Amino acid sequence: MTRGFTINRWNWSQEDNKWVFIESKDNGELVYHYQIKAPKQFTESIVKIKVLNDKLIACKDPEENSKIFKEMMKISKRMQFMGKTC
C-alpha cells in the first residue's frame, strides 16, 4: 500500500518518475505542478548532508559527532516539508 501525497510540499512520484507539488487553492481546488528536476531546496540539502556526513565520519570527538548528527537531522526534517518556491 502506498501513501498519498502531502499537500503544499514537494513529493516524489515513483509512478510518474517526477516531482509533484500539490497546491491547495482557497476554494479547495488542488493544482498539481510536475517537474523532472529535483527541487532546488532538495539538492542544496543533499549537498549539506553529504558535507556533514563526511565530517561525521572523520570526527573522533563524541560531543562534536552529536552536534554534527543533530544538524543533519534538522536538515532532514526541513526536507520533509519542502515548500514550493518560484
Side-chain angles (χ1 to χ4, degrees):
M1 180 176 178
T2 60
R3 69 172 183 83
F5 294 133
T6 304
I7 296 173
N8 293 326
R9 81 169 185 105
W10 284 104
N11 299 269
W12 173 252
S13 170
Q14 277 188 301
E15 184 178 321
D16 296 323
N17 204 27
K18 294 178 186 176
W19 289 91
V20 60
F21 186 90
I22 305 167
E23 181 179 3
S24 178
K25 298 289 187 179
D26 291 336
N27 64 1
E29 176 187 5
L30 298 178
V31 179
Y32 292 76
H33 303 273
Y34 291 93
Q35 66 183 46
I36 295 172
K37 189 176 177 183
K40 184 178 177 183
Q41 308 114 296
F42 182 80
T43 53
E44 288 173 351
S45 295
I46 290 294
V47 170
K48 288 177 185 176
I49 288 176
K50 165 80 171 93
V51 170
L52 289 171
N53 189 54
D54 291 344
K55 288 180 181 180
L56 189 66
I57 291 169
C59 184
K60 303 293 184 210
D61 178 30
E63 288 182 27
E64 186 63 23
N65 259 350
S66 180
K67 288 178 186 177
I68 294 169
F69 184 77
K70 286 177 184 176
E71 183 61 28
M72 289 173 70
M73 291 299 98
K74 285 181 189 175
I75 294 169
S76 177
K77 284 184 181 184
R78 275 186 255 142
M79 289 174 71
Q80 295 297 316
F81 301 99
M82 291 187 309
K84 186 168 188 272
T85 58
C86 298

